[in-house]
Amino acid sequence: MVNQPLEGNMAGASEPETVSTRRQRIAELARQDKQMAFTSLNHHLNLSWLLEAFWSTRKDGAPGVDGQTFQDYEANLVANLRSLLERVKSGTYRAPPVRRVHIPKGSDPKETRPIGIPTLEDKILQRAVVMALEPIYEQDFYDCSYGFRTGRSAHQALEDLWRQTMDLDGGWVYEVDIRKFFDTLDHGQLRDLLKRRVRDGVLLRLIGKWLNAGVWEEGAVTYPTTGSPQGGVISPLLANVYLHYVLDDWWFKEVRPRLKGRAFLIRYADDFVIGFENEADARRVMEVLPKRFGKYGLTIHPDKSRLVPFRRPQQRGGRRDPEPQGRPGLFDFLGFTHYWGKSRKGSQTVKRRTAASRLRRFAKAIAGWCRRNRHRPIREQHRILCQKLQGHYGYYGITGNYTLLDRVRRIVVGVWKKWLSRRSWKSYFCWSTMTGLLGRLPLPAPRVVHSVYRSG
């Protein structure tokens, strides 16, 4: 594998075929030898590689601590990338601290999720490193892992979970929450795990610089000794590598072969559930999993992790027989509550509805937006509210969830009416006025975008 020269006009010569071919070669080597550690990858980081990374970076992303935007960088693109490449190759590149912001987490207004926003140059370089590492780890990752992987999505994870629970007639579901995973990820452990497949000094030093870059918040910079900031381009890959070895590989090689009954694992980034046919198997894993995680500096949240009896309800003569351990429970995964219900044909099936916490979060966000923007022109408010509803339908619009989608639309109508009524002390929006407005400017109707029951 040798460097390919950058040819042609730089304005449009991203050479995706050349970069793609080199990534395919890396993947092929990784696939041929699952034990091989790559000692030389940094030579792929040439100008064409960085240009491809630049065009793969979001144009509308929030700026980092330096305030630089995509358009600013693009104005002198070739010179900027050459300067970046020279600093990387010479070892003089310094990773600036990430800018931290907080977004709501769950329905509790006091509970937030910290997001780190790197500088644009950091995003480009992190994307370039991901482009080199991803072909390697994609050969190692298991099919149970869905988060932040090319060609995989949350809805595929939900469909897989539906099939697995149906195959087990429900069984027992262990709903697991890792306490502050991205904040407690151990740097030393991560370096050791990365070295199982990657020993390129340049790339490992770059990752180390990003982990130790510091966090800028409210005018002060702190330097956490653990964790990987959420929001960084490389953070999802590092999280997947960490949990691949800590959880996935351990599950398939050491745990599942020792179980008496069938079992499955579904993971999306740091969110995962484990299903069991046998309760005794579930109890054994519940006992050993905290010890396994503790070895790698992770903690299972005791209040948010639980074992749920999820067996299919038995029916005879059209009535459900009483069960000695009560009705099947509910569990949440990826924003949906999973429960047993009747299909249109009358048989028991696993259904999904929007989790109550997500519904409250959406309602609160809409109320806040309408309150802050109530003086904007009505047509502009309508356009943005339509976008928000379409975005909600785009994720939560799955088979069997229409009722909750309709409730969301009704929430938006009620909240919008409330804040339109408060545009001034003279205005008052009665329901007949609101109905007339919706006749002229209708909000999008609920629609099912994803069918989790389709086959194939």
Side-chain angles (χ1 to χ4, degrees):
M1 291 183 286
V2 297
N3 286 339
Q4 299 293 331
L6 186 65
E7 300 174 354
N9 190 333
M10 283 300 300
S14 62
E15 293 194 344
E17 296 82 11
T18 301
V19 173
S20 175
T21 299
R22 283 184 279 163
R23 295 186 73 209
Q24 289 175 8
R25 291 176 183 171
I26 296 173
E28 183 61 29
L29 287 173
R31 184 164 48 248
Q32 290 174 358
D33 188 352
K34 294 293 186 72
Q35 305 301 319
M36 181 178 71
F38 287 75
T39 57
S40 180
L41 287 168
N42 71 86
H43 65 276
H44 290 292
L45 272 63
N46 60 12
L47 200 53
S48 61
W49 194 279
L50 289 185
L51 188 61
E52 184 74 11
F54 173 79
W55 292 118
S56 299
T57 302
R58 283 185 55 184
K59 296 182 180 181
D60 58 348
V65 293
D66 60 356
Q68 190 171 51
T69 65
F70 188 94
Q71 290 73 23
D72 294 337
Y73 204 84
E74 186 183 8
N76 198 15
L77 180 58
V78 177
N80 286 333
L81 291 180
R82 289 190 186 279
S83 171
L84 175 60
L85 186 60
E86 181 180 348
R87 281 175 281 142
V88 170
K89 297 295 185 179
S90 65
T92 60
Y93 175 80
R94 296 184 63 183
V98 297
R99 181 169 67 88
R100 174 172 286 175
V101 297
H102 293 267
I103 61 173
K105 178 182 179 182
S107 57
D108 186 352
K110 297 181 180 179
E111 190 175 12
T112 61
R113 186 189 303 275
I115 299 295
I117 303 176
T119 62
L120 177 65
E121 203 164 63
D122 246 3
K123 293 176 184 177
I124 297 168
L125 190 52
Q126 288 185 26
R127 175 63 61 193
V129 172
V130 168
M131 287 163 53
L133 299 184
E134 195 175 54
I136 300 172
Y137 288 107
E138 278 299 317
Q139 314 312 312
D140 298 347
F141 291 159
Y142 291 93
D143 288 341
C144 70
S145 169
Y146 287 91
F148 306 106
R149 295 179 59 189
T150 303
R152 287 174 165 257
S153 69
H155 290 96
Q156 290 176 334
L158 290 166
E159 183 175 356
D160 191 5
L161 177 58
W162 181 83
R163 289 175 177 172
Q164 299 269 20
T165 49
M166 290 294 290
D167 287 345
L168 287 186
D169 282 340
W172 296 79
V173 175
Y174 186 22
E175 183 183 0
V176 187
D177 182 273
I178 305 176
R179 190 198 296 264
K180 297 183 178 179
F181 169 72
F182 282 92
D183 295 334
T184 58
L185 190 148
D186 186 273
H187 293 177
Q189 296 278 9
L190 176 59
R191 282 191 293 268
D192 292 341
L193 295 175
L194 285 169
K195 287 179 181 178
R196 296 188 184 186
R197 284 296 248 165
V198 177
R199 295 178 186 169
D200 183 296
V202 173
L203 299 192
L204 291 178
R205 281 193 293 273
L206 281 174
I207 293 172
K209 289 179 180 181
W210 290 321
L211 293 175
N212 298 311
V215 176
W216 184 91
E217 186 174 14
E218 297 181 353
V221 179
T222 57
Y223 296 90
T225 57
T226 60
S228 177
Q230 296 184 66
V233 176
I234 201 169
S235 292
L237 178 61
L238 297 181
N240 272 334
V241 171
Y242 204 84
L243 288 175
H244 165 74
Y245 289 112
V246 174
L247 177 63
D248 303 352
D249 202 49
W250 172 72
W251 166 262
F252 283 102
K253 291 182 178 178
E254 298 185 32
V255 177
R256 200 172 70 169
R258 293 181 170 87
L259 301 180
K260 296 179 180 179
R262 292 176 296 165
F264 66 84
L265 167 68
I266 304 290
R267 182 174 67 81
Y268 190 92
D270 61 323
D271 293 330
F272 68 96
V273 293
I274 309 176
F276 301 89
E277 182 180 32
N278 188 304
E279 181 185 1
D281 287 339
R283 299 290 179 187
R284 289 170 60 199
V285 172
M286 285 182 65
E287 181 179 351
V288 72
L289 189 61
K291 300 175 183 177
R292 171 70 179 181
F293 275 21
K295 179 180 176 182
Y296 291 90
L298 302 177
T299 305
I300 292 179
H301 201 299
D303 300 326
K304 297 182 180 180
S305 302
R306 62 197 182 106
L307 183 63
V308 179
F310 199 67
R311 294 167 298 168
R312 182 196 300 266
Q314 299 299 316
Q315 291 182 321
R316 293 179 185 173
R319 298 182 62 184
R320 188 179 66 83
D321 287 343
E323 298 180 24
Q325 296 188 16
R327 296 172 60 88
L330 315 172
F331 69 93
D332 290 348
F333 185 60
L334 296 182
F336 291 91
T337 296
H338 302 249
Y339 65 100
W340 282 99
K342 283 188 178 181
S343 68
R344 291 183 178 180
K345 296 181 179 179
S347 59
Q348 290 289 341
T349 187
V350 176
K351 292 190 169 186
R352 298 159 173 79
R353 61 173 180 256
T354 308
S357 60
R358 297 296 181 93
L359 197 62
R360 290 192 295 268
R361 182 195 303 181
F362 182 82
K364 179 184 175 184
I366 288 294
W369 187 90
C370 288
R371 176 179 57 82
R372 294 189 302 271
N373 297 276
R374 61 187 180 274
H375 297 302
R376 287 192 181 194
I378 289 181
R379 287 188 176 274
E380 184 180 348
Q381 292 186 42
H382 171 261
R383 177 179 59 82
I384 296 176
L385 288 175
C386 286
Q387 292 175 353
K388 292 180 180 295
L389 272 175
Q390 294 286 19
H392 186 88
Y393 299 159
Y395 184 78
Y396 293 99
I398 66 172
T399 304
N401 197 37
Y402 186 89
T403 301
L404 272 295
L405 299 180
D406 186 59
R407 182 185 299 179
V408 162
R409 184 184 180 279
R410 286 186 279 112
I411 287 173
V412 172
V413 170
V415 170
W416 194 21
K417 173 188 174 296
K418 171 184 175 180
W419 289 105
L420 285 177
S421 298
R422 301 186 181 187
R423 285 164 67 91
S424 74
W425 65 272
K426 296 180 180 179
S427 63
Y428 176 70
F429 253 68
C430 62
W431 276 111
S432 61
T433 306
M434 190 67 191
T435 301
L437 173 63
L438 293 175
R440 300 190 308 273
L441 299 173
L443 292 172
R447 63 191 183 97
V448 173
V449 180
H450 308 276
S451 174
V452 297
Y453 302 112
R454 68 183 184 272
S455 59

